[in-house]
Amino acid sequence: MPAALKHGNAAAGEIITMQDVRGKMTDEVLRQIKSLELNVAQTSAPLTKRRMRDSFSEVYICLGSDKTLRLKYMTPSNVKRARFGRIMEDLDTMAGLICFRHNENIIRSQCVAFVTALVDRIEMHNCNLAVDEDIKLSGQVSWVGRTSLDIKMKVEQMKQGSWEHILDTRYLMVARDPVAGKGLPVNPLVIESAAEQAEFAQGEANQAKRRQEAEQSLFKTVPSDAERALIHHMFLQTIDPKAGTFKRIKPPGTIFMEETKLKNIILCHHEERNLYGKIFGGYLMRQAFELAWTNAFMYCRSLPEIETVDDIVFKQPVEIGSVLFLSSQTVYTQENKMLVYVHAEVVDPIKDIHISTNTFYFVFKAPLLEKVKPVIPKTYAEAMIYLNGKRHYEG
């Protein structure tokens, strides 16, 4: 493995921090860039079967001892809590490290860019992330396709002398030629146990599920009978049957979906670039999460907590210098929970072109409330957004 990516053995008392990872991965990519500039011949390395444990990595965020680092992770609404958006950034970096380790023989002989295609799901087990205790990220490759890798990771935090499970997640990463932009083959996996076979099968199932959901998308098919009945019932709630007209009224104790929009505009600077000169996917996730959290806060008027992150899709890279529009909307509610949808698009003001780059779905809960006000769609387009949110919430 390239020396720049080797790291210590935690069992032997050696640890690697997130700062170490970013520095070493940057060194490796700079080495690849230099080889391109010097016209060093790029050769396709023979693919090598790899075990899941070959890519296993463990990285620490040392909040317990680094008081300066704590300021970067501190939540403004609660100085004892760590910023979840920062953890999302770190997970994206971690997924890249695991890809490098699984494909160490390939990156020795050719330039490879590992990019995030999607975040399948982030399942929270405990949203109480303290800002003054160490955090551990660990994970490994759990499935591979021809050019893609499924990365399974978890986050733990040191509490009262033991590691407490915080979250589980899966990232789908893709290997690409940074010059030609085409996909590159990755090393296959060797399955060594029944447990690993189950993990690999889960990766296959996730791929099949994504294909099925794409086919059943509301962009391609009509809503089901139950969904159509639900939308019509909600429509009837917004008219006065005695008036004999279709003039819309807002039912008491509800909020129209059109009232829940919250937006942000970001000019993308060099300091937020990834290893390959694009805007870092983790940065986009943090910005989307913090906008969604603010939206949920304003919606329920109580401090929300993240419960699930579902299906973050990276459609297009975001270039440095881009004008990035982030639009959030509370699109579905259930008891004291809210699903906030965030859409990211790059805007070219000169050509007046809008290009969709990312979609995000976040589920928040208001722990101090028994119930939040139901959100009500007013137009057919909003009804489809509502149903899409409902599908994500129930999925």
Side-chain angles (χ1 to χ4, degrees):
M1 183 174 191
L5 293 179
K6 290 182 180 178
H7 62 72
N9 182 353
E14 301 174 58
I15 66 170
I16 181 172
T17 67
M18 189 54 64
Q19 296 99 309
D20 294 333
V21 170
R22 290 199 173 104
K24 292 174 180 179
M25 289 180 69
T26 298
D27 290 343
E28 172 58 28
V29 172
L30 289 176
R31 181 192 67 79
Q32 293 187 21
I33 292 173
K34 186 175 181 180
S35 71
L36 287 175
E37 292 174 343
L38 295 175
N39 293 319
V40 176
Q42 302 288 302
T43 58
S44 298
L47 298 182
T48 304
K49 290 184 178 180
R50 303 279 286 168
R51 301 168 298 182
M52 288 188 182
R53 53 194 167 106
D54 290 333
S55 64
F56 179 80
S57 301
E58 203 169 76
V59 176
Y60 294 80
I61 306 169
C62 300
L63 298 177
S65 57
D66 193 334
K67 294 182 179 180
T68 302
L69 186 62
R70 287 181 204 168
L71 293 175
K72 184 179 178 180
Y73 283 80
M74 192 175 292
T75 302
S77 59
N78 186 339
V79 295
K80 295 182 179 180
R81 291 278 188 95
R83 292 170 67 182
F84 181 71
R86 289 290 187 196
I87 303 303
M88 294 182 75
E89 283 187 303
D90 294 331
L91 284 168
D92 201 54
T93 299
M94 182 74 173
L97 171 67
I98 293 170
C99 289
F100 270 64
R101 289 180 59 78
H102 179 78
N103 296 285
E104 60 183 25
N105 59 308
I106 297 174
I107 64 176
R108 286 197 195 103
S109 59
Q110 64 187 117
C111 296
V112 186
F114 295 101
V115 297
T116 308
L118 65 85
V119 179
D120 203 15
R121 194 171 179 87
I122 300 178
E123 200 73 54
M124 303 297 298
H125 300 287
N126 185 346
C127 62
N128 185 18
L129 271 168
V131 77
D132 57 354
E133 296 288 354
D134 289 348
I135 294 173
K136 178 171 66 174
L137 285 67
S138 59
Q140 63 188 25
V141 172
S142 60
W143 174 89
V144 296
R146 191 183 75 85
T147 63
S148 56
L149 310 93
D150 196 74
I151 312 296
K152 184 180 180 182
M153 297 178 286
K154 70 176 179 179
V155 174
E156 301 167 276
Q157 184 163 47
M158 179 62 69
K159 294 187 178 181
Q160 298 180 340
S162 62
W163 291 106
E164 185 172 313
H165 196 176
I166 300 297
L167 65 83
D168 291 299
T169 185
R170 288 179 182 269
Y171 279 49
L172 183 69
M173 309 293 286
V174 177
R176 302 191 71 82
D177 183 323
V179 178
K182 62 182 181 179
L184 291 175
V186 297
N187 286 327
L189 268 179
V190 175
I191 306 301
E192 296 185 307
S193 67
E196 290 187 354
Q197 182 60 53
E199 287 290 349
F200 191 86
Q202 183 62 56
E204 294 280 5
N206 290 341
Q207 291 285 327
K209 181 183 176 183
R210 283 192 284 269
R211 288 192 293 268
Q212 182 183 31
E213 289 175 346
E215 288 301 316
Q216 296 175 347
S217 166
L218 291 168
F219 288 109
K220 295 183 178 180
T221 62
V222 298
S224 67
D225 291 344
E227 289 173 333
R228 291 198 297 269
L230 172 61
I231 291 304
H232 189 67
H233 172 71
M234 298 179 78
F235 166 72
L236 293 177
Q237 288 181 301
T238 65
I239 60 173
D240 182 0
K242 297 179 182 178
T245 70
F246 289 111
K247 182 180 179 181
R248 312 301 288 275
I249 58 173
K250 182 163 65 175
T254 66
I255 299 177
F256 275 136
M257 189 185 291
E258 65 183 10
E259 300 171 9
T260 71
K261 293 179 181 178
L262 191 63
K263 300 183 179 184
N264 192 16
I265 300 175
I266 299 170
L267 181 59
C268 299
H269 294 279
H270 285 80
E271 64 186 293
E272 306 301 345
R273 71 186 183 277
N274 63 14
L275 299 175
Y276 310 105
K278 312 295 184 182
I279 295 301
F280 176 42
Y283 170 76
L284 298 175
M285 285 190 275
R286 174 166 63 85
Q287 291 292 336
F289 168 77
E290 293 180 351
L291 177 62
W293 184 91
T294 306
N295 188 305
F297 188 15
M298 296 183 68
Y299 184 91
C300 68
R301 301 180 185 277
S302 179
L303 286 174
E305 294 180 349
I306 184 66
E307 183 167 273
T308 306
V309 180
D310 184 60
D311 201 20
I312 296 176
V313 179
F314 290 79
K315 301 177 181 179
Q316 295 286 338
V318 177
E319 304 289 344
I320 295 168
S322 296
V323 178
L324 183 69
F325 279 28
L326 290 173
S327 304
S328 69
Q329 196 167 21
T330 300
V331 301
Y332 183 75
T333 54
Q334 185 71 251
E335 298 177 343
N336 69 340
K337 298 177 183 178
M338 302 148 283
L339 187 142
V340 181
Y341 167 69
V342 180
H343 175 245
E345 61 180 352
V346 168
V347 179
D348 186 329
I350 297 175
K351 298 180 180 179
D352 193 24
I353 296 175
H354 293 239
I355 300 174
S356 179
T357 59
N358 307 82
T359 55
F360 310 81
Y361 296 86
F362 302 96
V363 177
F364 296 93
K365 62 180 178 181
L368 300 180
L369 303 177
E370 292 185 4
K371 189 175 182 180
V372 299
K373 293 181 179 180
V375 66
I376 303 291
K378 198 173 181 180
T379 67
Y380 185 80
E382 287 180 350
M384 295 302 100
I385 295 172
Y386 179 91
L387 291 178
N388 191 45
K390 184 175 185 291
R391 290 181 179 186
H392 278 275
Y393 179 85
E394 295 176 346

